[in-house]
């Protein structure tokens, strides 16, 4: 698709957000004339999206740094609140480095010679529960290497503090047990300090870290003459009188001309965490001032960089050769057999049974943080949020129309496939093979976990086993589901309001399922995926 018309305005100015989709917890660096950005990807695979820009306004998706999450078996089922939390992206010793915290396993890193890879397999830098949001610093002034991280109370019982370590120069491990260098409990009015990014500037160690919660928080800056403190603090970006709630958590970058810029997120519910670009300067007393005197800008002159053609991360896909573009992610580690390539005929998704292969009557999945087979849980077949083989991409943060064509040749009764809008509640429209052999168009939804799918409208025949499926997404996540089975688009059921997951915005998804216990029931074909304003 073309660039979001509300970003690059074409007259030397831009409008926020510059990335109007869920690129949560962004970090950014400059390497020569290129700017690179990565973001959280939680339990989706591939993870760690890699974006590229030449002007900080127009961005394209260059790929992903993490092919599969580890431990691989743990992430063979959806874990929407786990996996890759806020990463840090750095360039050191001729390589790109990404560090991130998995709240259940510890701090990992991958590295590569350039953005195209090859990226190393994940290396566990420090094992532990609740270790999140790590950021390394290779200090050119002293030759020392450091790392700072935050804490997840849900796993460790600790929050609102930042811990600093000396790090091995090769980034493979830490050299001490760590020291609390920022304790938010000792700063009046501050809470939930997290997401630190550490820098050296003007003889100071700087930590840029958000506080105050995702929805309503602010961006803080901390400085000290020694990495281990003591640090003094200041609020450098907050909502003020703007409509940008909770502006915080991101990265600072300097252009060749010496301009400073800060990219951060804004939490927008079902749309996830969209990315804003703020000007940044240094005050007379040496502190950063972000935005318009500490408040977010809406429209602003672009960075003093060579003009670039309008661009935005890809969304459309014709699935050439049966493959799919880098904008798509599975909601768990992929397994062999989830796709069946067929050159020239679009994307084929195998109708696989919803339960794990070989499982006795299906695999149970417990609640948050649970292990496969543990507890009462839900069977995959009961809830699409628990099905690992769903191919997803981000819901645009603006009104848009989503379309895809579907063909269902699978003959097993109960085989089904469709276009789904996933979140804490979900709804889908698609095709299903009935017991009498007919193919039916169905609209189904599910609200609270533990319920069962319900019809959003009565099924109707799809005589050719084909349909064009559509979601019309309006303001505030309000979506209409429609389908054309040969007689024009017809809406069914009331408007559905998209909902986020715990840390993730709503996702658009393509899926194919066989009835439980049937084994594979053939494949379905998706063609011509489009998102239009």
């Amino acid at each position: 698709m073309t660039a979001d018309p509300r970003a690059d305005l074409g007259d030397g100015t831009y409008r926020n957000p510059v990335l109007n989709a869920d690129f949560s917890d962004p970090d950014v660096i400059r390497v020569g004339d290129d700017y690179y950005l990565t973001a959280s990807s939680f339990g989706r695979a591939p993870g760690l999206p890699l974006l590229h820009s030449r002007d900080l306004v127009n961005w394209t998706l260059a790929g992903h740094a993490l092919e599969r999450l580890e431990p691989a078996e743990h992430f063979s089922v959806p874990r929407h609140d786990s996996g890759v939390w806020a990463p840090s992206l750095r360039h050191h010793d001729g390589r790109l480095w990404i560090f991130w915290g998995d709240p259940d396993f510890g701090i990992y890193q991958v590295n590569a010679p350039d953005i195209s890879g090859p990226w190393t397999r994940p290396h566990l830098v420090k094992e532990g529960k609740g270790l999140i949001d790590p950021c390394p610093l290779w200090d050119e002034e002293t030759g020392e290497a450091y790392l700072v991280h935050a804490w997840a109370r849900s796993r460790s019982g600790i929050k609102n503090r930042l811990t600093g370590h000396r790090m091995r120069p090769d980034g493979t491990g830490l050299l001490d047990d760590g020291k609390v260098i920022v304790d938010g409990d000792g700063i009046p009015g501050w809470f939930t300090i997290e997401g630190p990014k550490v820098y050296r500037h003007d003889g100071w160690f700087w930590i840029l870290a958000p506080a105050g919660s995702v929805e309503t928080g602010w961006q803080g800056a901390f400085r000290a003459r020694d990495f281990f403190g003591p640090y003094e603090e200041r609020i450098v970006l907050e909502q003020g009188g703007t409509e940008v709630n909770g502006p915080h958590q991101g990265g600072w970058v300097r252009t060749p001309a010496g301009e400073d810029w800060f990219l951060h997120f804004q939490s927008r519910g079902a749309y996830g965490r969209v990315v804003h670009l703020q000007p940044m300067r240094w005050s007379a007393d040496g502190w950063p001032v972000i935005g318009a005197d500490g408040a977010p800008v809406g429209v602003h002159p672009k960075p003093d960089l060579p003009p670039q053609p309008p661009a935005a991360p890809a969304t459309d896909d014709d699935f050439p050769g049966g493959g799919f573009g880098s904008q798509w992610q599975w909601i768990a580690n992929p397994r062999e057999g989830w796709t069946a390539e067929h050159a020239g005929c679009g994307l084929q998704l195998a109708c696989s049974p919803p339960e794990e292969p070989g499982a006795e009557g299906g695999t149970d999945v417990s609640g948050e943080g649970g292990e496969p087979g543990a507890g009462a849980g839900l069977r995959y077949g009961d809830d699409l949020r628990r099905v690992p083989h769903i191919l997803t991409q981000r819901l645009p943060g603006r009104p848009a129309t989503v379309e895809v064509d579907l063909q269902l040749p699978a003959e097993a009764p109960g085989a089904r496939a469709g276009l789904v809008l996933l979140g804490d509640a979900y709804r889908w429209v698609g095709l299903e093979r009935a017991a009498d052999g007919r193919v039916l168009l169905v609209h189904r939804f599910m609200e609270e976990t533990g319920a069962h799918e319900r019809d959003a409208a009565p099924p109707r025949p799809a005589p050719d086993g084909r349909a064009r499926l559509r979601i019309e997404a309006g303001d505030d996540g309000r979506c209409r589901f429609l389908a054309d089975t040969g007689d024009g688009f017809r809406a069914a059921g009331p408007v559905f309001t998209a909902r986020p997951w715990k840390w993730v915005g709503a996702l658009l998804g393509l899926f194919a399922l066989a009835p439980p216990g049937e084994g594979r029931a053939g494949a379905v074909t998706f063609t011509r995926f489009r998102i239009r304003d």
Side-chain angles (χ1 to χ4, degrees), residues 41-43 69 75 79 81-85 100-104 106 155:
S41 50
F42 300 96
L69 288 85
F75 289 102
R79 300 190 184 277
D81 69 333
S82 302
V84 178
W85 285 23
W100 75 92
D102 180 313
D104 298 305
R155 272 68 164 190

Side-chain angles (χ1 to χ4, degrees), residues 160-528:
N160 203 31
R161 66 186 64 172
L162 305 179
T163 297
H165 297 264
R166 283 189 169 86
M167 184 177 71
R168 292 177 184 165
D170 63 4
T172 60
L174 305 180
L175 298 175
D176 56 34
D177 293 332
K179 174 186 175 182
V180 175
I181 58 177
V182 174
D183 185 350
D185 292 345
I187 307 174
W190 286 60
F191 59 96
T192 317
I193 296 175
E194 56 188 353
K197 302 293 183 287
V198 59
Y199 307 91
R200 273 292 236 160
H201 173 67
D202 196 26
W204 296 88
F205 288 90
W206 289 91
I207 297 175
L208 300 182
S213 82
V214 167
E215 287 78 14
T216 59
W218 58 88
Q219 179 66 38
F222 302 83
R223 71 178 184 183
R225 292 296 185 184
D226 183 85
F227 174 76
F228 290 100
Y231 283 86
E232 52 185 320
E233 80 285 339
R234 183 174 293 184
I235 295 175
V236 294
L237 180 68
E238 55 187 335
Q239 179 172 353
T242 75
E243 296 181 356
V244 182
N245 60 295
H248 67 249
Q249 189 156 335
W252 162 41
V253 68
R254 174 168 286 177
T255 70
E259 291 183 345
D260 294 305
W261 296 87
F262 184 73
L263 285 134
H264 68 91
F265 77 71
Q266 174 198 8
S267 180
R268 292 196 57 222
Y271 301 115
R273 301 174 184 181
V274 302
V275 180
H276 292 239
L277 175 67
Q278 303 295 339
M280 177 171 152
R281 60 181 176 84
W282 297 87
S283 66
D285 58 355
W287 286 86
V289 179
I290 299 176
D293 295 326
V297 300
V299 176
H300 192 273
K302 292 174 61 177
D304 182 16
L305 293 166
Q308 301 296 320
T315 55
D316 294 355
D317 206 337
D318 287 320
F319 309 114
F324 49 85
S326 59
Q327 66 267 35
W328 296 97
Q329 296 170 286
W330 300 103
I331 59 173
N333 276 338
R335 292 195 185 94
E336 185 178 354
W338 282 7
T339 61
E341 293 190 6
H342 191 75
C345 292
L347 174 70
Q348 291 199 332
L349 294 185
C351 289
S352 301
E355 62 270 9
E356 290 280 354
E360 187 70 27
T363 296
D364 289 336
V365 179
S366 69
E368 179 179 316
E371 296 290 340
L378 293 168
R379 298 184 188 279
Y380 288 153
D382 294 331
D383 190 338
L384 287 181
R385 292 165 294 198
R386 305 283 181 166
V387 175
H389 45 286
I390 297 182
L391 197 60
T392 69
Q393 64 169 283
R394 297 162 181 84
L395 176 68
R398 64 191 185 281
T401 298
V402 182
E403 282 188 7
V404 69
D405 291 345
L406 170 63
Q407 180 182 8
L408 183 96
E411 296 184 356
R416 60 199 186 275
L419 170 66
V420 61
L421 184 57
L422 280 168
D424 278 342
Y426 71 82
R427 182 167 165 185
W428 65 275
V429 59
L431 300 175
E432 182 174 70
R433 180 73 66 174
D436 61 7
R438 293 182 303 158
V439 176
L440 300 177
L441 179 81
V442 294
H443 294 252
R444 296 203 177 113
F445 72 97
M446 185 183 283
E447 290 287 320
E448 70 278 2
T449 300
H452 293 278
E453 282 192 350
R454 297 164 55 195
D455 285 329
R460 70 175 193 260
D464 297 326
R466 299 171 181 266
R468 177 165 291 178
L469 311 175
R470 176 185 289 179
I471 298 174
E472 294 178 349
D475 293 326
D476 300 323
R478 291 168 56 82
C479 299
R480 289 204 314 155
F481 284 65
L482 307 95
D484 178 3
T485 58
D487 55 356
F489 279 103
R490 293 161 57 187
V495 168
F496 175 82
T497 301
R499 301 197 197 161
W501 270 311
K502 187 170 183 180
W503 307 121
V504 181
L507 294 170
L508 298 166
L510 306 177
F511 74 93
L513 285 175
E518 292 291 334
R520 291 187 187 176
V524 304
T525 303
F526 290 95
T527 53
R528 194 186 166 278

